[in-house]
Structure formats: structure tokens, C-alpha cells
Amino acid sequence: MKTPPRGSKRVDQESDLPKVTTPVALRAAREKKHCSKARAVRVRPEYPLTRISPEMKLMPPEFFQIDALDLAPRLLGKFLRRDDVVLRITEVEAYRPNDSACHGRSGVTPRTAPIFGPGGHAYVYLCYGLHMMLNIVADKDGVGAAVLIRSCSPVTGLETIQERRGQKIDKPLLLNGPGKVGQALGLSTQWSHHPLYSPAGGLEVLDGGEDVEKVLVGPRVGIDYALPEHVNALWRFAIANTPWISAPKNTLKPLTSTHSS
């Protein structure tokens, strides 16, 4: 190591500020330190910044009794509540009548009967024998449409969520998938037909009083068995600028008025 030339100013590496006595240098160093702190604040994760607002209220039945393609983006930013767990909906998919990817495509069966009920009820099905998938029934009684809840972010009850999920983390991996949402809420198929607008129901959809301004849209996930027009339909919606969404993310683009209908 070379010895510093005589007369040079040495900097103490353990100090936050250089040991320079000129007022201009000291002021610049302090401003640099302050800016670093400001940047650190801006990159904090979403959880636990999302809070329950005093305006939270149950969504009425008529909110759900519209076309699934209209209901899906309106569910973004709404809250799901069960016990001490509250989740904010961040990603959804719409499934409509005459949709070759919709469970109702083959008519009413013991498994699919809930999707033909009136909008505002839950439809929970078991996927691959492992995952409980929460859907919110849309439209009028007998139509056969629903919105799949793909991802959420945690609002309250993080410890309960972690216990149910078996993961002690507070990152998007905790809730970025429909099976993870169902597990975090402790759901089973017994919740099918459950009214999500009932104040004493135990599983509810709540309005947080905040509208989502920026939405992403893309094709739905895992429906390769469907007809091409339904595989390519832009019926997946997600909140922009949040990490709490599932893969693939590169198929999601900003929503415009010309998306598929």
C-alpha cells in the first residue's frame, strides 16, 4: 500500500462525513447523506403500508351482479376478510359464459353448481388435488360466470397468514398465486355458495374507499386447453406498480380502452 503524499487530506472511513473543514464541503456531505435516507424510504415494500380505512364497508350484492369482465377490474383494490386476516386484491381473472376456459362451459354439475348462482357468492374448487382456488361469482343467477382471485397483498393478520402458508416471510411469494390466497384465508370447498356480502358470514368483500388508477391487463394463465380466442383474450387484470402479483409478469401491459371484450 502506498503512503499518502504529505499534505493530502485523509478520510476516516468509519465516519459518516469526511473530515474536511470547509463549509461548502460539509454542507454537500450532509445533503448527500440526507438524499440517501430519502431514497431508502421510497423503496419500502407495500406491506404494511396498506391500512384498513374507516370507510371500509361490505360490497352490496348488486356490485357483483354484472358481467365478469366488468367486475374483474373493479375488484382490484378491494379487501377480503376472514377472521383476523385482511387481504387486498391485486390480481384477478375473468371467466364468462360461453368461455371455453370457464368451469361452467359443460353446464351445471355438483362441482360447478356454485358458479351458476347469483353474483356475490364464493366458488371454491380444488385444483390438482392441492390448491383451494377462490372465485367470486359474477352476473345474474344462472349465468355461470366468475372472477378468480389470483394474488393479494397482506393488510392484517400476517402471523396467521404465515402460519397457514407455512412460510415466515412478508414478501410477494407469500400471496402471489391463487392457491396461496386460498391457503392464507384457510378456505375449503365448503365455502362455495357463501355470500360475500353478509355481515356475519365469516368471509367478506369490503370496499377500502380507494380507487385503483393504473391497471395492467394480459391473457389468463394456465388455460392452454381453451380455444385460441379465449387463450388470447386479455381477461387478466392486475394493479400496476405493485410486486404482489403472480408470474408471468411480462405478459401484462397497461390497460387501454381497446382491450378484448
Side-chain angles (χ1 to χ4, degrees), residues 28-202:
R30 291 192 185 99
E31 290 175 353
K32 182 178 180 181
K33 182 180 179 182
H34 176 74
C35 290
S36 297
K37 287 184 177 180
R39 284 195 296 272
V41 170
R42 285 197 294 270
V43 298
R44 287 184 298 178
E46 181 173 336
Y47 180 83
L49 297 183
T50 302
R51 302 292 187 186
I52 297 178
S53 69
E55 293 79 18
M56 284 183 70
K57 59 183 179 180
L58 283 167
M59 302 307 301
E62 55 268 22
F63 170 81
F64 306 97
Q65 294 173 6
I66 57 176
D67 191 306
L69 193 59
D70 295 321
L71 177 61
R74 296 182 189 184
L75 283 170
L76 295 176
K78 299 297 185 286
F79 295 89
L80 289 165
R81 179 169 66 189
R82 187 193 172 202
D83 302 325
D84 64 322
V85 171
V86 176
L87 307 179
R88 184 176 187 242
I89 300 173
T90 56
E91 182 186 358
V92 296
E93 289 178 346
Y95 290 85
R96 308 171 80 189
N98 301 318
D99 172 7
S100 59
C102 181
H103 284 184
R105 65 186 180 276
S106 300
V108 180
T109 68
R111 183 197 190 202
T112 65
I115 203 173
F116 287 93
H121 289 72
Y123 168 43
V124 182
Y125 67 88
L126 183 63
C127 182
Y128 301 126
L130 296 172
H131 308 297
M132 293 293 170
M133 316 285 267
L134 173 61
N135 297 259
I136 296 177
V137 178
D139 224 314
K140 302 295 188 290
D141 189 17
V143 171
V147 176
L148 172 67
I149 308 301
R150 279 203 62 85
S151 297
C152 293
S153 62
V155 180
T156 67
L158 182 62
E159 290 186 0
T160 302
I161 296 169
Q162 292 172 333
E163 182 178 354
R164 288 171 175 167
R165 290 279 296 111
Q167 291 185 308
K168 294 292 184 180
I169 58 174
D170 60 357
K171 297 179 180 180
L173 185 63
L174 191 66
L175 290 166
N176 63 346
K180 298 176 182 180
V181 172
Q183 190 176 27
L185 291 169
L187 299 181
S188 70
T189 56
Q190 298 299 314
W191 285 94
S192 284
H193 296 289
H194 176 81
L196 299 168
Y197 47 80
S198 173

Side-chain angles (χ1 to χ4, degrees), residues 175-236:
L175 290 166
N176 63 346
K180 298 176 182 180
V181 172
Q183 190 176 27
L185 291 169
L187 299 181
S188 70
T189 56
Q190 298 299 314
W191 285 94
S192 284
H193 296 289
H194 176 81
L196 299 168
Y197 47 80
S198 173
L203 179 63
E204 306 157 341
V205 175
L206 303 164
D207 186 4
E210 296 181 3
D211 293 329
V212 174
E213 295 183 358
K214 295 182 179 180
V215 174
L216 303 176
V217 64
R220 294 170 294 180
V221 180
I223 58 166
D224 294 340
Y225 56 85
L227 296 174
E229 60 264 34
H230 295 143
V231 170
N232 298 322
L234 304 182
W235 294 353
R236 176 187 176 201

